[in-house]
Amino acid sequence: MNKQNILNRRRFLTGSSAVLGASLIPTIASSALGHSNRSSSQAATINSDQNTHKVPVLTGKEFDLYVSKQSAIVNGKKSMATLINDSLPAPTLKMREGDTVVIRVHNQMDESTSIHWHGLLVPFEMDGVPGISFEGIPAHSTFTYKFKLKQSGTYWYHSHSGFQEQTGMLGAIVIEPKGRERHPIDEDHVIVLSDWTSRNPHNLLKLLKQRADFDNYHLPDFKKLLADIAETDMKTAFDKRKMWNQMRMMPTDFTDLSGENTFTYLINGKTTAANWAQIVKAGQRVKLRFINASAQTIFDVRIPGLKMTVVATDGIDVAPVAIDDFRIGVAETYDVIVTPTKDAHTIFAQNIDRSGYVAATLATKEGARAAIPAMDKVEWLTMQI
């Protein structure tokens, strides 16, 4: 797929990701993990720099989700996280099309919370957006979501209160179809992409309001001007800048917050150093359910040396398309099928502004790891008339 997109303006998605035409149900789920009602002060610190914690998978028709505050270490820095069942990301909820599910959300915090079921068709009172479909879940209370699953596919859920999603309150939803899968596979795995900051999200929003490009480290400086003159000529180089100046825009205005100084990118809650890894069998068809659960990052994804076949987007089956890479926007999901052949393949997701990336491993041999590719060159935005 062509990686060049035409981006008009960027938006900082404060707190929770944009609702892309899908509603979700606020539910309080019951954990099959025997989750205790311990306070956040008693909970262990989550360390995303170590590959010890696996994302829990909860299955069935009834779920209990416990929301709490606790500390997390990401990229060597400790900060407070908003977690469900002590997990970053939250547990993956596996359900079945046609079932009526009951999700009990237990708010153990001293602040209000909510859960939005992104992409699910639910009654309005189950949508989970405070101030629109309900009043939110007050501190130290329980709210029960109940709805019938009218669809199948890959979706996700997240808080719609303040910046709780940005601080970790998000998770995957996998709804199995009533019939058989349209595209037969041998196994499937969830890949949750997210962005994390140890800085105060409220302060970041304040800075963006004061100066929208404060976190843009790829500005068209004098060095770039000289390079453009050398590549073309002086008139072309100056005309190029004149166009952008007239629009009062930056040609590198890809994203509000970058991986240069603000964000660390995660796959299933793990940094590149932690190396989230999944062992699969060589020669078998594996479905990877990619979910962009970031607050505002657009990712370009590829698995070097391994073709991907897109079979679904945002929970909807599509005619299979073979690709080398794809661009996934905030809140989007892509189901791709791959057939691993080597000891290890790198899953590589880079920010659209090329300021950072996250990598993980798909391996057919225990302990194997493939090389991590270099990030692509930073390009200027382009225009079409």
Side-chain angles (χ1 to χ4, degrees):
M1 298 179 87
N2 193 334
K3 289 185 180 180
Q4 293 184 346
N5 268 7
I6 300 168
L7 303 177
N8 296 320
R9 288 302 300 158
R10 61 187 176 183
R11 292 181 301 167
F12 178 54
L13 304 177
T14 61
S16 52
S17 297
V19 179
L20 303 180
S23 56
L24 305 176
I25 292 184
T27 324
I28 300 182
S30 92
S31 163
L33 301 178
H35 185 284
S36 65
N37 290 325
R38 66 188 180 183
S39 66
S40 59
S41 62
Q42 296 172 309
T45 299
I46 295 293
N47 192 339
S48 290
D49 299 337
Q50 297 177 355
N51 196 6
T52 53
H53 170 76
K54 299 299 181 183
V55 180
V57 178
L58 308 182
T59 62
K61 299 180 182 179
E62 291 197 26
F63 304 87
D64 284 282
L65 305 182
Y66 298 85
V67 186
S68 64
K69 293 281 189 183
Q70 67 184 75
S71 60
I73 298 175
V74 178
N75 200 21
K77 299 177 181 179
K78 181 180 284 189
S79 55
M80 289 303 297
T82 310
L83 304 181
I84 293 177
N85 292 15
D86 299 341
S87 179
L88 177 65
T92 297
L93 306 183
K94 294 195 76 170
M95 311 168 178
R96 189 168 184 81
E97 182 184 8
D99 286 348
T100 295
V101 295
V102 175
I103 306 174
R104 293 175 290 272
V105 179
H106 308 277
N107 184 3
Q108 299 180 324
M109 302 185 296
D110 296 329
E111 64 190 57
S112 178
T113 190
S114 60
I115 292 183
H116 172 67
W117 314 99
H118 202 102
L120 299 193
L121 303 174
V122 300
F124 76 91
E125 64 271 17
M126 296 288 107
D127 188 58
V129 180
I132 297 179
S133 61
F134 82 140
E135 295 304 315
I137 306 171
H140 304 289
S141 69
T142 295
F143 184 88
T144 300
Y145 295 90
K146 183 177 181 180
F147 50 90
K148 186 173 182 177
L149 300 172
K150 301 178 180 179
Q151 63 218 97
S152 62
T154 304
Y155 303 93
W156 66 297
Y157 65 105
H158 58 88
S159 172
H160 236 289
S161 301
F163 289 95
Q164 292 172 0
E165 178 206 312
Q166 173 68 85
T167 55
M169 194 173 165
L170 54 92
I173 298 173
V174 175
I175 304 176
E176 298 175 343
K178 286 189 290 187
R180 66 177 186 173
E181 290 280 356
R182 179 182 174 190
H183 305 284
I185 55 173
D186 297 298
E187 54 184 297
D188 72 87
H189 304 283
V190 171
I191 308 292
V192 177
L193 302 170
S194 61
D195 45 26
W196 178 273
T197 180
S198 58
R199 302 171 69 177
N200 187 318
H202 294 277
N203 290 341
L204 290 173
L205 178 59
K206 182 179 179 180
L207 287 170
L208 284 171
K209 288 181 176 180
Q210 293 172 345
R211 182 185 162 191
D213 63 348
F214 88 92
D215 206 31
N216 187 344
Y217 293 86
H218 300 295
L219 302 178
D221 55 15
F222 185 67
K223 182 179 179 181
K224 174 63 175 172
L225 174 62
L226 294 178
D228 284 350
I229 293 173
E231 185 177 338
T232 56
D233 56 64
M234 185 172 293
K235 182 179 185 305
T236 301
F238 274 93
D239 284 347
K240 188 177 179 181
R241 280 155 177 76
K242 181 180 179 181
M243 176 188 70
W244 287 103
N245 289 337
Q246 287 174 338
M247 294 189 296
R248 300 178 67 186
M249 288 181 64
M250 286 287 181
T252 53
D253 191 13
F254 293 100
T255 186
D256 288 295
L257 300 173
S258 75
E260 194 88 21
N261 188 48
T262 300
F263 277 143
T264 296
Y265 304 112
L266 308 176
I267 285 182
N268 290 343
K270 297 300 174 186
T271 60
T272 299
N275 185 34
W276 179 89
Q278 178 63 53
I279 302 298
V280 297
K281 292 182 179 180
Q284 290 198 335
R285 288 165 57 85
V286 179
K287 177 185 284 187
L288 300 177
R289 301 175 183 266
F290 284 90
I291 301 170
N292 185 351
S294 69
Q296 68 99 67
T297 301
I298 299 171
F299 289 101
D300 288 331
V301 179
R302 68 180 185 265
I303 305 177
L306 191 61
K307 279 281 187 181
M308 297 178 284
T309 300
V310 177
V311 295
T313 61
D314 297 332
I316 306 299
D317 286 347
V318 299
V321 180
I323 59 169
D324 294 310
D325 51 67
F326 64 90
R327 176 163 290 170
I328 184 168
V330 174
E332 290 183 332
T333 72
Y334 277 78
D335 289 3
V336 305
I337 294 178
V338 298
T339 304
T341 56
K342 301 178 181 178
D343 288 348
H345 299 272
T346 295
I347 300 172
F348 184 74
Q350 58 184 334
N351 187 346
I352 191 174
D353 75 349
R354 308 300 184 246
S355 64
Y357 68 88
V358 62
T361 299
L362 192 66
T364 61
K365 183 179 179 181
E366 194 74 40
R369 188 169 186 179
I372 298 175
M375 284 191 293
D376 294 331
K377 180 183 176 182
V378 178
E379 301 286 350
W380 275 28
L381 290 167
T382 58
M383 290 184 60
Q384 289 183 356
I385 300 176

